Amino acid sequence: MKRPQQPDTSNETLVEVRDLHFRLGERVIYDGVDIDIPRGRITVIMGPSGTGKTTLLRLISGQWRQDSGSVTFDGQEVARLSQRRLFELRKRMGMLFQSGALLTDLNVYDNTAFPLREHTRLPERLIRDIVLMKLEAVGLRGARELFPAQLSGGMARRAALARAIALDPDMIMYDEPFAGQDPISMGVLLRLIRRLNDALGLTSVVVSHDISETLNIADHVYIISDGVVVDHGSPEAIRASQSAWVQQFIHAESDGPVAFHYPAAAYAADLLDSA
Amino acid sequence: MQSRALELLVGFFVCLGIAAIFILTMRVSDVSSIGGSHGYTVQAEFFNIGNLQEGAQVNMAGVRIGRVASIHLDPNTYEAVVEMRIDDQFKLPADSSASILTSGLLGSQYVGIEPGGAADFMENGDSFVLTQGAVILEKLISQLLYSFAGNSGDAGDDSAAGDELFPPAPD
Amino acid sequence: MSTLSRSLYTATTWIAEVGRSTLFLLRILASLPALVRKPRLVVEQLYSVGVLSLVIIVVAGIFVGMVLALSGYRLLVDFGAETALGTSVAFIVVRELGPVVTALLFAGRAGSALAAEIGLMRATDQLAGMEMMAVDPVKRVVAPRFLAGVLALPLLTSIFCVMAIGAAGGYYVGVEMLGLDANAYWSGIQSSIQYWPDIAAIFIKSGVFGAIITWVAVYEGYHTMPTSEGVSRATTNTVVIASLAILGANLMLTAIMFSG
């Protein structure tokens, strides 16, 4: 099946996931998932731990290939691209890893300059200007001489964010950006995601299970569990969802459709049995 | 900056390595013996060369004047042909003789040249007329034992230099 | 039956591993030409695999040369053949001990560090991060390290041999301590060591060993399981596999080069 080569800018949807099936070894991660990621918006993907939210980002960016179904980015089927064309495509996406994934042997400045030096032939003066602009945007211009080991977790993610936007991508994917953050740096990151999205005209995909925080900045929410989309819509629609499962999830109740107990034999029977 | 120190250290390392390669090539293996454009080649035929190896020294009066360049067997005479590369500065009289000697009791073998008295000198490609092969210790001993057993008065003629004293082993 | 199927399974995984590492090597080789435009990356790696291994190689070379000279002297002096000391030291060092010992030390010093470094880059998502920035980690990270290893080991081996034979090692013990004649020491070496195949063997062997060690190290590091246990296993595997591979390759190379 041939796809049109020219980007289809008229389309409101940047990333289109259709009937996605994916398994990792014996485990079924996705069992028929449809997701639309609209341009210029913040889309939040939520779900319990281990539902493969990060896997979705890896499939969108072409690091892994799906078993069946399709993932298209701006009209291009990601899994069918050659390595060269995939790399061209990736220059248009940035990704923020949970760990930041900064190169440990380079300082913050060189980390931010890394994609520019690899992909452009810009003179060093111009690179310096761009890097300082990006670092200013994330508030780390003063920390440019620091090495990743000297940064706190929140600072490392901001530095990685500066690097992710260095090439002015169309889309940024955030993998659990708030995991293990204190309230202040979480707030900083939240505002940063919103501000960058609006100021740079980005499309943002945030994978998270911090419900209350992410619902505040989301334009659109998908909730995934057990390989299928449980619910999706605007944050308000999600909050008002009729699904008992969604209610348990967003209100963090310990028992409900998702049982507190791992499936086991009856408690009394188990105790008596051991005697 | 740090890059300067890095370059210096790597440069130092590479220079050290190349110096080591140079020492190995020139000092340890004495590369001057191979492929050198200087010097001329002479050859000698021996009945037996013992353990003589390529690269062995060629000495005259204990001074090194060249090296053994190659060793092969003449298919017609069944003799070993030893090619030697002699430095240009040494002129060998045309009637010089070559013998295979051992340095020390168990040392490595080398070719010793005895100068003759002729007025003209050997040139590139010339052969020695008089040669004496390696002394094979076992043969020497068995010969001694034989002569002692047979006739203690006629143990050998030490004035006759030549291969006749140590004939090649019969097949 | 289950034993059979299990050993069959083990065999197929093993063969698949061999195939995977060969394909990885081909990928590395294919990305080597691009390094011409970025020599800086190779220089940086020459520092970490070469310069940082220098001390251990020099010290080991001196000690090995001294020990060889001491024990060789005891053996030779009984036959009155102590003039052959230089020859025997040089012979052992140049033909076998130099390339092999240097390679084993290199595997322990540089190979393990290489595997740990790349393994940690895998574990901390740095490699995935590079891929997401449309930078091929094999080109940017692996290939320069591989080339630096292949270049550094022959240099280190030469240094080792010179240290073992030369003024600090065997020569010191033989001539300065035991009173042998310096000329006899050197001329004995010169008449028994040929440029071909003896000295050339150093470069061929150590070049092959360098490729083996860095190949194993970058492969193990690159395919590390992204956990701290995975990194430690990659490091151990590198030293064990590389050491065994060196000894095996040495046997084959010696048989090929010195059989004639």
Side-chain angles (χ1 to χ4, degrees), chain B residues 34-71:
Chain B
I34 58 150
S37 55
H38 63 288
Y40 59 99
T41 307
V42 294
Q43 46 181 292
E45 299 198 344
F46 297 99
F47 274 112
N48 195 321
I49 58 163
N51 290 320
L52 188 74
Q53 284 174 346
E54 290 180 11
Q57 299 193 4
V58 178
N59 287 0
M60 180 182 268
V63 178
R64 205 198 103 190
I65 59 167
R67 289 195 169 273
V68 172
S70 73
I71 297 172

Side-chain angles (χ1 to χ4, degrees), chain B:
Chain B
M1 238 186 85
Q2 200 181 353
S3 64
R4 185 84 192 137
L6 178 95
E7 280 159 11
L8 270 173
L9 282 168
V10 173
F12 171 74
F13 166 64
V14 172
C15 287
L16 203 65
I18 290 174
I21 292 173
F22 184 78
I23 292 174
L24 282 178
T25 338
M26 304 309 288
R27 178 89 178 154
V28 174
S29 80
D30 194 31
V31 78
S32 56
S33 62
I34 58 150
S37 55
H38 63 288
Y40 59 99
T41 307
V42 294
Q43 46 181 292
E45 299 198 344
F46 297 99
F47 274 112
N48 195 321
I49 58 163
N51 290 320
L52 188 74
Q53 284 174 346
E54 290 180 11
Q57 299 193 4
V58 178
N59 287 0
M60 180 182 268
V63 178
R64 205 198 103 190
I65 59 167
R67 289 195 169 273
V68 172
S70 73
I71 297 172
H72 61 268
L73 187 73
D74 187 326
N76 300 319
T77 63
Y78 303 111
E79 287 187 325
V81 179
V82 175
E83 287 197 0
M84 290 165 270
R85 195 142 190 95
I86 310 291
D87 285 2
D88 277 328
Q89 51 177 315
F90 302 110
K91 301 285 178 218
L92 305 179
D95 58 346
S96 300
S97 67
S99 25
I100 294 174
L101 304 169
T102 309
S103 56
L105 188 60
L106 293 165
S108 56
Q109 289 184 304
Y110 65 97
V111 179
I113 310 282
E114 286 285 321
D120 49 342
F121 297 108
M122 293 181 83
E123 284 171 18
N124 196 30
D126 283 359
S127 293
F128 286 97
V129 186
L130 293 171
T131 61
Q132 180 179 329
V135 175
I136 309 295
L137 212 55
E138 295 90 320
K139 285 185 185 167
L140 193 64
I141 291 168
S142 67
Q143 203 155 26
L144 271 171
L145 289 175
Y146 175 75
S147 51
F148 274 130
N151 184 350
S152 58
D154 188 18
D157 186 3
D158 56 13
S159 69
D163 295 315
E164 301 79 37
L165 190 58
F166 308 112
D171 291 79

Side-chain angles (χ1 to χ4, degrees), chain A residues 72-90:
Chain A
T72 53
F73 179 91
D74 206 2
Q76 299 184 67
E77 168 84 58
V78 175
R80 286 168 191 266
L81 295 175
S82 66
Q83 160 114 347
R84 206 170 55 81
R85 294 187 58 88
L86 185 63
F87 273 16
E88 284 304 312
L89 195 69
R90 282 190 189 156

Side-chain angles (χ1 to χ4, degrees), chain A residues 58 61 63 83 87 90-91 93-95 97 99 101-104 114-115 118-119 121 163 173, chain C residues 27 37-38 41 44 117 121 123-126 128-137 140 145:
Chain A
R58 289 189 188 274
S61 59
Q63 292 174 60
Q83 160 114 347
F87 273 16
R90 282 190 189 156
K91 290 180 193 170
M93 14 171 133
M95 181 157 169
F97 286 85
S99 57
L102 292 170
L103 302 175
T104 41
F114 183 82
E118 288 292 323
H119 293 306
R121 292 180 177 279
R163 186 179 66 177
M173 294 177 281
Chain C
R27 248 180 99 189
R37 279 182 288 128
K38 294 190 173 170
L41 293 176
E44 277 167 13
E117 187 193 9
M121 292 179 88
T124 55
D125 279 336
Q126 292 184 52
M130 265 188 204
E131 274 182 36
M132 277 310 298
M133 287 185 280
V135 175
D136 186 353
R140 183 64 174 63
R145 283 162 175 77

Side-chain angles (χ1 to χ4, degrees), chain C residues 32-250:
Chain C
L32 285 182
L35 287 175
V36 177
R37 279 182 288 128
K38 294 190 173 170
R40 169 112 209 136
L41 293 176
V42 183
V43 171
E44 277 167 13
Q45 293 312 316
L46 267 180
Y47 174 77
S48 56
V49 299
V51 178
L52 295 183
S53 308
L54 200 53
V55 174
I56 187 177
I57 296 295
V58 167
V59 173
I62 291 172
F63 283 159
V64 166
M66 285 178 144
V67 166
L68 280 179
L70 276 174
S71 48
Y73 182 82
R74 290 220 57 78
L75 194 68
L76 293 169
V77 78
D78 290 344
F79 301 99
E82 63 268 25
T83 45
L85 184 66
T87 313
S88 47
V89 169
F91 219 71
I92 296 171
V93 167
V94 166
R95 279 204 168 179
E96 300 299 339
L97 231 44
V100 171
V101 172
T102 314
L104 291 177
L105 291 172
F106 188 77
R109 171 67 187 76
S112 60
L114 216 56
E117 187 193 9
I118 296 181
L120 272 176
M121 292 179 88
R122 166 66 73 201
T124 55
D125 279 336
Q126 292 184 52
L127 297 179
M130 265 188 204
E131 274 182 36
M132 277 310 298
M133 287 185 280
V135 175
D136 186 353
V138 172
K139 281 195 182 117
R140 183 64 174 63
V141 175
V142 175
R145 283 162 175 77
F146 180 81
L147 185 61
V150 175
L151 292 178
L153 195 52
L155 296 177
L156 287 170
T157 306
S158 306
I159 294 170
F160 179 95
C161 291
V162 168
M163 287 296 150
I165 298 168
Y171 180 86
Y172 178 77
V173 169
V175 177
E176 305 289 333
M177 280 173 59
L178 300 172
L180 292 181
D181 179 47
N183 266 331
Y185 186 86
W186 283 118
S187 68
I189 291 175
Q190 289 187 354
S191 57
S192 59
I193 303 289
Q194 308 289 313
Y195 184 80
W196 178 268
D198 296 313
I199 300 295
I202 291 180
F203 307 128
I204 296 173
K205 277 187 173 181
S206 56
V208 172
F209 294 165
I212 289 175
I213 294 167
T214 40
W215 176 25
V216 172
V218 295
Y219 176 78
E220 285 291 335
Y222 198 82
H223 297 90
T224 302
M225 281 192 307
T227 58
S228 47
E229 194 218 343
V231 174
S232 84
R233 193 184 297 169
T235 320
T236 316
N237 277 355
T238 300
V239 177
V240 172
I241 297 173
S243 302
L244 290 178
I246 289 162
L247 295 172
N250 184 53

